[in-house]
Amino acid sequence: SFDGPFILDDINSIAENRTIERLWPITTVLSPPANGETVGGRPFLNLSLAVNYAIHGRAVQGYHIANLAIHVAAALLLFLFLRDTFLLPGLRDRFGRAAPWLAMTIAALWTVHPLQTESVTYVIQRAESLVAVFYLLTLYCVLRGAESSRARFWYLAAVIACLCGMATKEVMVTAPILVLLYDRTLLAGSFGCALRKRWTLYLGLAATWGLLAWLVLASGQLGHRSDPGLLDAGAYFLSQPGVILHYLKLSVWPNPLCMFYRWPAAEDATRIVPGALVLIALAAATLW
């Protein structure tokens, strides 16, 4: 796929994006256009494209190579995080001997899964794989910090990774919550203990929400629709149960795959309620 040309959102986010044409002044790079471009409100994503441009202009192969390298980095972080998780005291007796192989198997399946194709081969969807790197790096640094005599170093690294993730894609908003759930379940044993032992970490992680809020508001992306044909927020939300269940199916059986599904809006209860009930049941089972 290295010769795959810029398509769809690549055009206005890369081919026509003037803010990536020079690395200095850095304020220009960190102020991406916000007229519906994928880079809008995502300065770290824009910076990664500017580094690509500084090396080889708009020659598409370099962007594809960078996308693959980012995906491989995420895979290695996933492996390290899973391996060390399986070696935690609460899991070591059950999984310790198989930890490296189990972690490698899971990471390998995640790496080559067909659902990952778009985030690697569609250049601007590097936003997905790059935020995955920062998400996994945040979790891994927290895990290492909990077991290290240099905990402050690891927790600072976790906050920096989380900050970079917030500047890459908005889904990073869940990272501080997931860290707390992971800490409570596998490290501290309770929410109270987790917050008492690592209150400075959680203060730092929570502070990264401030950057995300500022980026979303400053970019004008909140409620912005560049295409009049796109769903409004209410219809989009009500359509999500069906979309999520579809992707859960694709994670098990990834066929047929499509780059742009043009998913129809769910406009009546028969298309909203069944999927919502299944998701509620799955969420309840997960919490239990």
Side-chain angles (χ1 to χ4, degrees), residues 199-239:
W199 66 271
T200 54
L201 166 67
Y202 290 108
L203 192 62
L205 292 176
T208 65
W209 280 328
L211 173 65
L212 179 60
W214 180 80
L215 289 172
V216 170
L217 293 172
S219 66
Q221 295 298 301
L222 195 63
H224 175 79
R225 288 192 292 160
S226 57
D227 183 348
L230 294 178
L231 301 180
D232 61 39
Y236 187 92
F237 175 77
L238 293 175
S239 300

Side-chain angles (χ1 to χ4, degrees), residues 6-165:
F6 293 131
I7 58 171
L8 300 177
D9 290 349
D10 292 338
I11 306 302
N12 59 8
S13 296
I14 303 174
E16 299 175 355
N17 183 358
R18 301 300 180 190
T19 66
I20 67 171
E21 293 180 351
R22 54 181 66 185
L23 287 171
W24 195 261
I26 193 67
T27 52
T28 300
V29 182
L30 297 180
S31 303
N35 299 309
E37 294 88 351
T38 306
V39 293
R42 300 168 178 176
F44 201 96
L45 173 62
N46 207 54
L47 176 61
S48 75
L49 298 171
V51 172
N52 267 134
Y53 186 91
I55 297 171
H56 46 71
R58 289 192 171 88
V60 73
Q61 292 86 355
Y63 294 86
H64 283 298
I65 292 170
N67 276 23
L68 181 61
I70 290 167
H71 183 56
V72 170
L76 290 173
L77 281 167
L78 179 60
F79 166 76
L80 293 171
F81 173 66
L82 290 171
R83 183 199 61 184
D84 289 3
T85 295
F86 291 132
L87 291 172
L88 287 171
L91 300 175
R92 188 180 302 146
D93 291 343
R94 186 175 181 184
F95 298 112
R97 293 181 63 185
W101 296 104
L102 188 56
M104 185 174 68
T105 301
I106 297 170
L109 284 170
W110 181 86
T111 305
V112 302
H113 197 289
L115 270 181
Q116 303 281 28
T117 304
E118 184 178 337
S119 63
V120 180
T121 61
Y122 178 12
V123 176
I124 197 56
Q125 289 307 315
R126 144 181 329 184
E128 299 285 354
S129 50
L130 190 56
V131 80
V133 167
F134 292 127
Y135 210 122
L136 289 164
L137 185 59
T138 300
L139 287 165
Y140 181 64
C141 288
V142 171
L143 171 57
R144 288 297 304 271
E147 300 182 307
S148 172
S149 58
R150 303 175 63 194
R152 290 184 179 179
F153 166 81
W154 287 107
Y155 294 157
L156 176 61
V159 172
I160 293 172
C162 193
L163 195 70
C164 292

